[in-house]
Amino acid sequence: MREFALRAARMFDGFRMRGPATVRVEGSRILGIDSGAGLPAADPAVIDLGPDSCLLPGLVDAHIHLAFNASADPVSALTTMDDGQLLATMENAAHLAVQAGITTVRDLGDRGYLGEVLNGRLKRQPESGPEIVYAGAPITTPRGHCFFLGGEVADTEALLAAVRERQSHGCSVVKIMVSGGNMTPGSPPPYRSQFSRAEVAMAVAEAHRLGMRVAAHAHGTEAIRDAVAAGVDTIEHVSFMTEDGSHVDAGLVREIVDHDVFVSLTLGTQPAAGVPDLPPAIAARMAAIHHAYLVLYDAGANLVLGTDAGIAPFKPHDVLPYAIEQLADLGVAPVDALAAATSGAADACGAADKKGRIVEGADADFLVVTGDPVADLAVLHKPVAVFRAGVRVR
């Protein structure tokens, strides 16, 4: 089993910035961490990353869609592809992500369990893409949000059967569309609930019984409230939408904090793609949604970053570094923004034992940049090296 070591001038371990460090790797796992110079420079197994280098854990995107091709109309593109073409699209998206240092993704919506197929391939060829925590098709109502992915259920019996089906395909997370969304014409609007609190609670109980987590797509305030009360593990988007706008509910924020639920914030736009062409319902509420994110942060909520990559041209599958910058621009401390895309996101994905942190026994997933990302998050856009499961990707 191959052993090597990485020597860096500084290291962000997923929680805080540290001084010089040498990280020893055996196979695909971290064997140990030495402060300072560590092993002698003459040791051929030591890779010196340079005098201004920073070693970070591989980044974790807690909400991505590898099956959406980041085009102007990703839904039409998906629905016209057969499974072979769609799998190739997902492979290309995975390659783009890992080249940017994103070594773990939580895919919250594919078709036909292609995430299961792709993750199997990537375990054999880790240099080709990130590890995928996959949910299969989101569970939705008949003709509800993202029904075209194949997750429609008509009653509670079908709802429970859908949860069990996902467990049989190795899903570690179930996604349920508690509210409507923006990508499905004719489906309920994002501020309106699709499932009742009782139905969500049934899905959560069954998923937890089977050892799976539950991610709740919830834009509307009532959908967020129902998701928290039902005991979901993560809430996606958290937009506090009502029919007439987006308004932070202080009492609900306290419930989110008290229940210790992870809040997956949707950020990340690539400037090169131009001004985002947002759906009107989102564009009119964006300032209020961003304000809600800062309120959640100040209240002590467990914030993680999920980009929703793939849904538009300004959200390519390597957009996570921009999301980290944008979270800091809202007023979040840079070190906390980094944690939201490393250790925090790994925790939300159920991978706290191996992802998003540089500790003994964790996976040897690393991103190397030049400079200090806490002082300047822009350095994340220029990775000088990426390692996935101990294999150098770039």
Side-chain angles (χ1 to χ4, degrees):
M1 189 174 293
R2 179 172 177 252
E3 292 188 26
F4 65 95
L6 301 174
R7 178 186 287 114
R10 61 181 68 84
M11 180 179 76
F12 177 74
D13 62 8
F15 304 91
R16 62 187 178 91
M17 187 64 74
R18 298 165 55 173
T22 300
V23 178
R24 292 174 283 114
V25 175
E26 181 180 49
S28 63
R29 295 293 179 89
I30 297 173
L31 189 60
I33 301 103
D34 300 318
S35 298
L39 301 172
D43 190 324
V46 176
I47 302 172
D48 194 326
L49 300 172
D52 195 26
S53 58
C54 183
L55 182 67
L56 301 93
L59 303 179
V60 180
D61 193 330
H63 188 142
I64 199 170
H65 293 282
L66 296 172
F68 289 148
N69 68 353
S71 67
D73 189 359
V75 175
S76 293
L78 180 145
T79 55
T80 57
M81 292 182 197
D82 62 28
D83 281 358
Q85 293 169 320
L86 189 54
L87 186 58
T89 294
M90 294 172 68
E91 286 179 319
N92 290 336
H95 179 73
L96 184 66
V98 80
Q99 285 291 311
I102 304 165
T103 56
T104 305
V105 299
R106 187 173 60 153
D107 192 316
L108 291 181
D110 67 16
R111 188 185 74 195
Y113 298 102
L114 291 177
E116 177 186 13
V117 177
L118 180 55
N119 195 51
R121 292 185 182 181
L122 296 180
K123 284 186 176 180
R124 296 187 295 272
Q125 298 178 312
E127 69 279 6
S128 300
E131 182 164 336
I132 306 171
V133 178
Y134 55 92
I139 298 175
T140 191
T141 52
R143 309 302 289 183
H145 183 44
C146 287
F147 74 89
F148 50 83
L149 292 173
E152 293 171 284
V153 297
D155 51 37
T156 55
E157 183 177 344
L159 173 63
L160 295 177
V163 173
R164 292 190 287 269
E165 179 182 284
R166 281 146 184 75
Q167 193 267 345
S168 73
H169 281 275
C171 298
S172 59
V173 59
V174 171
K175 183 183 182 185
I176 182 167
M177 298 296 204
V178 184
S179 80
N182 295 290
M183 294 184 69
T184 314
S187 66
Y191 55 81
R192 188 169 297 159
S193 295
Q194 295 195 148
F195 290 97
S196 69
R197 180 179 300 187
E199 288 170 326
V200 180
M202 289 175 62
V204 170
E206 185 68 356
H208 287 176
R209 184 184 72 82
L210 295 171
M212 294 183 290
R213 295 187 171 210
V214 177
H217 165 102
H219 282 292
T221 298
E222 288 309 307
I224 297 169
R225 194 184 314 279
D226 289 343
V228 173
V232 303
D233 300 283
T234 71
I235 308 174
E236 311 303 308
H237 311 305
V238 202
S239 308
F240 290 97
M241 282 191 184
T242 60
E243 188 169 1
D244 64 349
S246 184
H247 313 282
V248 179
D249 184 316
L252 183 50
V253 168
R254 178 46 51 193
E255 289 180 41
I256 290 170
V257 174
D258 290 346
H259 281 75
D260 209 28
V261 62
F262 286 97
V263 178
S264 181
L265 308 183
T266 309
L267 290 168
T269 57
Q270 187 182 67
V275 178
D277 185 17
L278 297 171
I282 295 292
R285 295 168 167 87
M286 188 55 69
I289 292 170
H290 286 169
H291 171 67
Y293 290 175
L294 190 56
V295 171
L296 285 162
Y297 172 67
D298 289 338
N302 288 329
L303 305 187
V304 301
L305 278 171
T307 62
D308 223 0
I311 67 166
F314 55 84
K315 282 190 176 290
H317 295 91
D318 59 355
V319 77
L320 182 57
Y322 288 105
I324 298 171
E325 281 190 289
Q326 288 159 14
L327 183 58
D329 288 344
L330 295 182
V332 172
V335 70
D336 292 333
L338 284 169
T342 52
S343 58
D347 292 355
C349 293
D353 59 330
K354 61 178 183 175
K355 300 292 185 180
R357 64 252 293 132
I358 300 177
V359 296
E360 182 178 342
D363 287 357
D365 294 349
F366 306 111
L367 166 63
V368 182
V369 298
T370 299
D372 181 353
V374 171
D376 180 12
L377 288 168
V379 302
L380 297 174
H381 300 300
K382 297 180 179 180
V384 296
V386 176
F387 293 80
R388 162 84 171 89
V391 178
R392 187 160 188 170
V393 174
R394 61 177 298 172

